[in-house]
Amino acid sequence: MKCLISVDIEGIAGVFHPEQTRAGNGEYERARRQMTAEANAAIRGALAAGATQIVVNDSHGGFRNLLPDLLHSQARTVLGKPRTLGMMGGIDADTDAVMLVGYHARSQTQGILAHTINSFAFSRVWFNDKELGEAGIYGALAGELGVPVIFGSGDDVFVTETQPLFPQATFAEIKRAHGSNSGDSLSQQAACDLIEQTAHQAVARALVARPPAFQIDGSLQCRLQVQTPALTDLFCQLPIVERIDAVTLQWTAPSVAYAVRVLNCLSAMSFMLR
C-alpha cells in the first residue's frame, strides 16, 4: 500500500496562535518540530500496519516547514511551492490512500485557527452547493483520482466537520477548541502516541477493505466569498471569474483539479493587496 500523508500545522498539538504558524520566531520553530514529530508518528503507524511506500507532503504556508533531517528515513518528502496539486502534491495513480495530519476546520467556524486556504483573502468556498474546507477540497481532489482519505488528525471542530465527508476514515482528536485562538490540547507525546495508534488502525482497516473515495462527479460550479470588495475587484481580472456581488464570485470548472488550481492562483494574486 502506498500512502500520501499531507501535513498541516494548525491542527498540531499545542498550536493555538498565528505566531506559531509563521516563520521567524521561536514559537514557530517549536511548532514545526512537533509538526515533524506528528508526521513521523503517522508514518510509523502506517508502516507497522503494512504500508509499503510513504510520501509526506508539507502542506502549510510556503510548504517548507517540516524538518527533513528529522523525518522518518522510509518516507519521501514533497516540499516547496508553487506546485500544481497544492496540499495533494505527490499523489499519483499508484497512491492507495491519503492521510491528513494536523488539519483544521474551515473558515467561519469556531475551530482553532480555522481558515480555508488563505485567511487574508478567502472567507467561504463552495463546490456546487457543498461548502468545503481544505480537507474537503483536497479530499475531493484525491477522490477524483479514486484515492480515499482514511485518516485525519486535528481539533474537535475539524473532526466533527470532516467525518461526514469521509465516514469510513479514522480520526485522532488532538485538541478541543474554546475559541479561534484558545483551547486545550494533548501533550506532544500523547498526541504522537494517539496519531501512531490511529494511523495503524486506519491502514489496517484499509488493507482489509478499501473505503470509497469522496467524489464530486461532473463539472463544478465553484463559488468563493472573499474578505473585501477589493479582492473581488482583483480576482475578477481573471476572465473565467464572474462577480455575483460585492464579495462573492463564481466560475465553472471541468474538474476538481481545475477548481483547485484556480483557487491557488487567486490566493497567489491576493498578495498584491497585502
Side-chain angles (χ1 to χ4, degrees), residues 1-3 50-54 94 96-97 150 202-203 206-207 210:
M1 171 182 273
K2 180 178 179 180
C3 295
T52 54
Q53 296 182 65
I54 303 287
D94 296 325
D96 297 295
I150 65 168
V203 171
L207 282 168
R210 189 183 187 190

Side-chain angles (χ1 to χ4, degrees), residues 2-7 39-40 43 47 52-58 66 68 71-79 89-90 92:
K2 180 178 179 180
C3 295
L4 175 72
I5 303 177
S6 176
V7 191
N40 281 336
I43 295 167
L47 290 171
T52 54
Q53 296 182 65
I54 303 287
V55 177
V56 177
N57 176 328
D58 188 319
L66 292 169
L71 273 170
H72 198 291
S73 62
Q74 288 182 249
R76 295 185 66 88
T77 312
V78 181
L79 297 165
D92 59 26

Side-chain angles (χ1 to χ4, degrees), residues 35 114 151 250 255:
M35 179 186 182
F151 169 88
Q250 67 181 7
S255 66

Side-chain angles (χ1 to χ4, degrees), residues 15 21 90 95 123 131 146 165 172 196 238 250 263 265 267-269:
V15 173
T21 73
T95 305
S123 180
E131 184 176 3
L165 301 177
E196 183 172 351
L238 198 64
Q250 67 181 7
L263 283 168
C265 286
S267 179
M269 287 171 67

Side-chain angles (χ1 to χ4, degrees), residues 48-247:
T52 54
Q53 296 182 65
I54 303 287
V55 177
V56 177
N57 176 328
D58 188 319
S59 294
H60 174 69
F63 295 166
R64 48 191 188 90
N65 310 276
L66 292 169
L67 297 165
D69 54 321
L70 297 182
L71 273 170
H72 198 291
S73 62
Q74 288 182 249
R76 295 185 66 88
T77 312
V78 181
L79 297 165
K81 70 182 350 180
R83 61 169 88 130
T84 302
L85 298 181
M87 297 173 82
M88 281 296 118
I91 198 168
D92 59 26
D94 296 325
T95 305
D96 297 295
V98 165
M99 306 170 76
L100 310 176
V101 173
Y103 267 59
H104 53 82
R106 67 175 183 257
S107 180
Q108 307 300 310
T109 69
Q110 295 181 345
I112 297 163
L113 297 169
H115 66 280
T116 302
I117 299 178
N118 183 323
S119 57
F120 165 76
F122 297 173
S123 180
R124 302 172 73 185
V125 176
W126 293 266
F127 283 1
N128 295 334
D129 293 325
K130 187 180 290 292
E131 184 176 3
L132 297 173
E134 291 171 20
I137 290 167
Y138 282 98
L141 176 55
E144 193 163 71
L145 299 173
V147 183
V149 172
I150 65 168
F151 169 88
S153 70
D155 72 12
D156 57 326
V157 181
F158 160 75
V159 172
T160 299
E161 169 189 309
T162 309
Q163 274 184 324
L165 301 177
F166 316 123
Q168 297 185 49
T170 306
F171 288 88
E173 183 183 300
I174 303 303
K175 300 183 283 196
R176 290 180 298 191
H178 300 172
S180 59
N181 297 131
S182 64
D184 63 85
S185 171
L186 294 176
S187 70
Q188 292 184 338
Q189 186 58 56
C192 288
D193 291 345
L194 179 61
I195 288 168
E196 183 172 351
Q197 294 163 11
T198 315
H200 186 286
Q201 294 169 10
V203 171
R205 288 172 58 185
L207 282 168
V208 173
R210 189 183 187 190
F214 171 52
Q215 294 182 313
I216 302 175
D217 297 324
S219 64
L220 303 176
Q221 189 67 29
C222 304
R223 188 157 42 105
L224 171 64
Q225 187 180 92
V226 299
Q227 300 285 2
T228 67
L231 286 161
T232 317
D233 296 340
L234 174 64
F235 293 163
C236 285
Q237 301 304 307
L238 198 64
I240 65 166
V241 173
E242 173 191 6
R243 188 177 205 134
I244 298 175
D245 59 34
V247 292

